Amino acid sequence: MNKDLEEFADHAYFTLSGDVNSDMVRRVFDAASDMTQDHISTAHILIQSNGGYVSDGICLYNFLSQLPIRFVMYNAGAVASIAVTLFLAGNERYASDTARFMVHKSHATASPGARPDALKIIVDGLRADDLRTEQILREHVQLSEAHWQVHAYSDLHLTAQEALAVGLIDAVRDFAPPKGKRLINI
């Protein structure tokens, strides 16, 4: 076998899009099962997501981070909210020049007429989610104090160049599977 082809024989290419929710968790679990059975050593995954549920995103981050597979994540459009946490599970991370990232604090909507004890439970849950996601963000990304100040009160948007500067990505690079490689939608 040609040495160049041999190098990519155990690489596979995937797309993952949509809301981060229990359905995505199930799809990723199923795909990871197939990857291990197929002896994939490196999975290249293009992610397109505006976010979703914090617990589902953290589950996927923890799950992918512990698998015996090297994950290479790509952003070709938008990776936002909890999808950024999922993206951070990548051993290598790339974004197209025109891609963007967005992170923000957790939010929820209370039922009309909610009682104070119910509101406290919601607030406590949001604070716990913020602590979990911020811990993961700080482990991987070196945001400036100005970035953290924006993040504290608003959506923090990062271009690919800004994501590179803070270590969210390793390089500005497009998702480009080699010719002839199968592309699998998770």
Side-chain angles (χ1 to χ4, degrees):
M1 182 183 284
N2 180 317
K3 185 175 166 92
D4 290 335
L5 293 176
E6 200 174 288
E7 179 183 336
F8 292 102
D10 56 354
H11 287 236
Y13 296 82
F14 303 88
T15 57
L16 176 62
S17 64
D19 294 336
V20 178
N21 56 25
S22 59
D23 179 60
M24 180 181 279
V25 170
R26 182 193 50 74
R27 292 180 356 239
V28 170
F29 285 178
D30 289 346
S33 175
D34 291 344
M35 289 176 207
T36 57
Q37 288 178 3
D38 294 342
H39 304 288
I40 301 301
S41 67
T42 303
H44 299 261
I45 303 177
L46 171 64
I47 298 175
Q48 172 65 30
S49 176
N50 287 316
Y53 293 99
V54 172
S55 291
D56 292 323
I58 290 175
C59 172
L60 289 173
Y61 168 84
N62 287 328
F63 176 69
L64 295 176
S65 296
Q66 298 304 311
L67 287 178
I69 298 169
R70 189 169 142 266
F71 289 98
V72 181
M73 303 298 196
Y74 299 83
N75 174 357
V79 172
S81 192
I82 195 61
V84 173
T85 301
L86 164 60
F87 185 82
L88 289 171
N91 303 93
E92 294 178 42
R93 300 180 301 271
Y94 302 102
S96 297
D97 185 52
T98 53
R100 72 167 178 83
F101 295 89
M102 186 277 289
V103 292
H104 60 175
K105 296 275 190 180
S106 302
H107 58 273
T109 303
S111 301
R115 297 172 39 97
D117 53 338
L119 293 174
K120 183 181 181 325
I121 291 169
I122 292 170
V123 169
D124 290 347
L126 292 173
R127 285 186 177 138
D129 285 347
D130 286 344
L131 287 173
R132 297 186 305 161
T133 56
E134 187 174 317
Q135 175 186 347
I136 294 167
L137 196 59
R138 287 184 183 275
E139 286 175 12
H140 295 278
V141 182
Q142 295 75 47
L143 295 176
S144 69
E145 188 54 40
H147 287 130
W148 284 114
Q149 288 174 1
V150 170
H151 178 264
Y153 300 103
S154 184
D155 295 349
L156 173 62
H157 294 269
L158 299 170
T159 65
Q161 290 300 326
E162 291 166 330
L164 178 61
V166 299
L168 179 55
I169 61 172
D170 297 305
V172 175
R173 180 183 302 164
D174 290 318
F175 179 73
K179 184 176 180 174
K181 271 296 203 180
R182 183 175 177 210
L183 184 60
I184 302 165
N185 185 35
I186 298 175

